[in-house]
Amino acid sequence: MTDLRIRVEEIPLGSDECEIYFVKATIAMVLEGFEPISGSRYGEPKKDNVVERVRRDSESLSVAKEMSAAAGLEASFDSLCVNGSFVAGANSSKSINLTKESTSHDNHYRVKAVANLKWEITEHDGSALCETYLESDRLVALRERSKINRKYISVDISIKQRDLRIENSTKGLAAGVLGRLTGNQKRLFDIFIAKSINSKTPEAGTYSGAIKLSWFTLDSSNGDFDE
């Protein structure tokens, strides 16, 4: 079972109060001696085999007044039936635009299963990750392989440096330390912050463009599994 809680953090930066947050996180799982059971992955989006596409068709239909005379009587068509509906006052040439429209709808998964036993955590509008995303949820059900020498499971949560954001807490405030940074300086500052966060995480390893926030490992060679 997995728990995942993320929040926006406020820190002082000179005279500024800044917010540090993430817009995307990734959970990655590595297995040895196990295989995932089909259909058991959490947040598994499945594409519909039939796609309803958005299409707009406009069609013009000309309606003309028709007059006929029979036995000295004139018949005036003041109403005309078009596609089962009466168009009132069709006593002169007219153009009617008929529009057909269909729409499709997509669901957003905050925790979305992707390829290679990974899950991406995002908000639908790209806003800050904040609140609880997993609480005692099973990411995937596993089946033990036969004739194995080692059983190993690792799960880690990481953030790419490009998905880190740092902003003034007071919205619209351009002054202060952040407001004085050029574009290149801001990118270097983001890398510095990412490296600092990674270095403060015990056993996170060398920074390589991603911040490892948390991880969990079970290894039979270390006696973690019950025999």
Side-chain angles (χ1 to χ4, degrees), residues 26-29 41-42 112-120:
T26 301
I27 301 175
M29 180 179 291
R41 294 200 307 171
Y42 184 88
K112 177 183 176 181
V114 295
N116 300 321
L117 279 179
K118 292 183 179 181
W119 290 260
E120 293 179 348

Side-chain angles (χ1 to χ4, degrees), residues 209-227:
I211 310 161
K212 185 176 287 190
L213 298 181
S214 181
W215 62 94
F216 174 77
T217 302
L218 287 176
D219 192 342
S220 62
S221 61
N222 296 328
D224 290 328
F225 284 93
D226 293 330
E227 298 295 339

Side-chain angles (χ1 to χ4, degrees), residues 111-129:
V111 181
K112 177 183 176 181
V114 295
N116 300 321
L117 279 179
K118 292 183 179 181
W119 290 260
E120 293 179 348
I121 299 93
T122 57
E123 291 290 350
H124 73 283
D125 55 359
S127 59
L129 297 180

Side-chain angles (χ1 to χ4, degrees), residues 9-21:
E9 187 70 33
E10 289 194 1
I11 62 168
L13 183 63
S15 59
D16 295 343
E17 284 290 332
C18 299
E19 290 181 345
I20 292 182
Y21 61 89

Side-chain angles (χ1 to χ4, degrees), residues 2-53:
T2 305
D3 289 358
L4 176 61
R5 296 174 179 86
I6 303 176
R7 68 174 184 174
V8 176
E9 187 70 33
E10 289 194 1
I11 62 168
L13 183 63
S15 59
D16 295 343
E17 284 290 332
C18 299
E19 290 181 345
I20 292 182
Y21 61 89
F22 310 110
V23 296
K24 183 179 179 180
T26 301
I27 301 175
M29 180 179 291
V30 177
L31 302 175
E32 187 173 336
F34 296 92
E35 60 183 8
I37 297 175
S38 178
S40 68
R41 294 200 307 171
Y42 184 88
E44 180 80 88
K46 181 180 178 182
K47 291 284 188 179
D48 290 335
N49 189 43
V50 178
V51 180
E52 183 182 2
R53 295 179 295 178

